Amino acid sequence: MKTAGRITGEALLLARDMVREGVSTFEIDKCIRAYIEKCGARPSFLGYGGFPGSACISINDEVIHGIPSKKRILKEGDIVKIDVGACWQGYHGDSARTIPVGNVSKEAQLLMDATRQSFFEGIAAVKTGARLGDVGYAIESYVKQFGLSVVRKYVGHGIGREVHEDPNVPNFGTPGHGIRLCKGMALAIEPMVNIGTGAVVEMDDGWTVKTADGQLSAHYENTILITDDDVIVLTEVEKGF
Ligand code: MG
Ligand code: MG
């Protein structure tokens, strides 16, 4: 899991360094795939349910599951969500970041910062004996202070030999409710946060999920492991990213 997480995190760093005006999401996806395969792993999402890319790359009001394409060219001011999974020796890592293209609006920056921080608020609630509802509550209550909304239709998940395992890990919850967390659990915690409504719509391509009101969305995800007295963030390979 540590190796899968590291490869996933490194692929995201590589992707971040490619993000600039004029680059297509196809080119970014191609490099992510090449890096993962060079590490002796395989992209978890390639062919998953028929998904055609190695990473999900979603721009602005696209929340998740954007399909990499030669026709999707990044523009100054965009925010781009890159979601990567890597499977190494049968175990998966899953991680996502939202990356600005050049200078972005203050509103977009606040959205990205709050979404990232909500993940850390969430994992501050993760410890042996805590409940899943504590985590979701911490995430949602943090972003609400800024008038932002979490997406409720899509959630985080357990991860291990499959990229998506039980339990579901919602970005909302009631403190003291839900299953108890215990050591040995690996979870993908992934706040998806919108400026406007948390409602989302699915596109005709069968994959892309957008905000219902057309406003911006951000995503931040890491795979974490609960140990005796700690939480290890397996997919964070550079502090502050
Ligand atoms: Mg993901
Ligand atoms: Mg995930």
Side-chain angles (χ1 to χ4, degrees):
M1 293 290 295
K2 281 182 175 168
T3 305
R6 179 180 53 74
I7 295 166
T8 304
E10 287 170 354
L12 270 171
L13 283 181
L14 179 100
R16 174 194 65 184
D17 294 342
M18 288 185 72
V19 166
R20 80 189 95 82
E21 186 166 50
V23 173
S24 75
T25 59
F26 175 86
E27 287 170 80
I28 296 170
D29 185 69
K30 196 171 78 172
C31 289
I32 289 169
R33 179 178 182 170
Y35 184 76
I36 290 171
E37 289 177 345
K38 194 183 89 180
C39 295
R42 70 173 174 82
S44 303
F45 305 145
L46 184 61
Y48 184 96
F51 189 75
S54 291
C56 299
I57 308 184
S58 313
I59 304 171
N60 296 337
D61 62 330
E62 296 169 350
V63 180
I64 47 169
H65 302 167
I67 301 171
S69 164
K70 287 179 180 168
K71 293 181 191 152
R72 300 304 304 277
I73 311 290
L74 300 182
K75 298 190 308 292
E76 172 90 13
D78 284 344
I79 62 171
V80 55
K81 282 132 279 182
I82 305 182
D83 192 346
V84 174
C87 179
W88 187 79
Q89 304 219 343
Y91 288 90
H92 294 267
D94 186 6
S95 184
R97 294 291 184 272
T98 302
I99 301 161
V101 184
N103 291 312
V104 299
S105 68
K106 276 207 181 83
E107 190 181 43
Q109 191 63 51
L110 183 139
L111 173 70
M112 291 190 294
D113 292 345
T115 303
R116 179 179 183 279
Q117 185 57 33
S118 73
F119 165 85
F120 291 97
E121 300 292 327
I123 65 163
V126 173
K127 53 183 179 295
T128 295
R131 291 181 183 265
L132 215 44
D134 300 333
V135 180
Y137 176 79
I139 292 170
E140 185 177 33
S141 51
Y142 181 77
V143 303
K144 265 184 163 176
Q145 303 174 76
F146 303 95
L148 305 169
S149 311
V150 298
V151 172
R152 301 174 96 84
K153 190 165 182 192
Y154 293 89
V155 296
H157 48 91
I159 179 168
R161 286 195 173 272
E162 302 291 338
V163 69
H164 294 127
E165 296 184 355
D166 286 339
N168 280 340
V169 182
N171 296 306
F172 55 90
T174 306
H177 285 68
I179 63 158
R180 253 182 227 290
L181 302 176
C182 57
K183 77 169 177 178
M185 282 183 173
L187 303 172
I189 297 181
E190 50 179 313
M192 290 156 251
V193 181
N194 298 350
I195 281 188
T197 173
V200 294
V201 287
E202 278 138 49
M203 297 294 101
D204 291 342
D205 64 14
W207 285 103
T208 313
V209 175
K210 287 190 181 184
T211 58
D213 60 7
Q215 296 199 69
L216 296 177
S217 182
H219 187 198
Y220 185 93
E221 174 182 30
N222 280 308
T223 298
I224 64 145
L225 175 68
I226 305 174
T227 63
D228 275 322
D229 51 6
D230 203 4
V231 178
I232 304 173
V233 183
L234 299 174
T235 46
E236 187 185 49
V237 296
E238 184 184 294
K239 285 278 175 220
F241 176 56

